[in-house]
Amino acid sequence: MYGGGENFKVVITECAAIRGEPTIERKILSKIDADVCLLRTKDETKIMEATKDADVVLCDAAPITQMIIQNFVRARGIVEMGIGHDNIDVEAATTRGIY
């Protein structure tokens, strides 16, 4: 368990639509009793809604914009599961203290 009774929440944006179910991610995250939310979208509004209370966001090509980052309540990390990070607003994340 995480955070005084709340599970650690990880949101995966759209990777499963590209490479199948995130079985590796689910297996790793099950060790920390994480809730895994799989979106299968690049839509900013849907990502904003799902990531508001996430601890970590895993993305592949979905844009993680300043608007999404400003909506985070408790996120501490954004993980790019591909090459580079040009789809993540690094400046906005850095300002919020998000790795």
Side-chain angles (χ1 to χ4, degrees), residues 44-95:
E44 183 178 50
T45 302
K46 290 178 182 175
I47 293 172
M48 265 182 55
E49 291 170 8
T51 59
K52 182 174 184 166
D53 63 344
D55 294 285
V56 176
V57 177
L58 278 67
C59 62
D60 195 350
I64 306 301
T65 64
Q66 179 180 14
M67 198 158 100
I68 291 170
I69 293 167
Q70 288 176 337
N71 195 54
F72 291 163
V73 173
R74 64 185 204 195
R76 301 306 304 153
I78 303 168
V79 178
E80 168 61 53
M81 298 185 356
I83 297 172
H85 57 273
D86 56 331
N87 57 317
I88 299 169
D89 188 328
V90 175
E91 185 176 336
T94 302
T95 299

Side-chain angles (χ1 to χ4, degrees), residues 15-52:
C15 73
I18 297 168
R19 61 180 175 86
E21 284 297 319
T23 54
I24 294 170
E25 291 87 349
R26 286 187 193 275
K27 183 177 179 181
I28 291 168
L29 294 168
S30 71
K31 295 177 184 178
I32 59 168
D33 198 19
D35 290 331
V36 178
C37 174
L38 178 60
L39 296 181
R40 300 177 192 259
T41 188
K42 293 181 184 180
D43 180 87
E44 183 178 50
T45 302
K46 290 178 182 175
I47 293 172
M48 265 182 55
E49 291 170 8
T51 59
K52 182 174 184 166

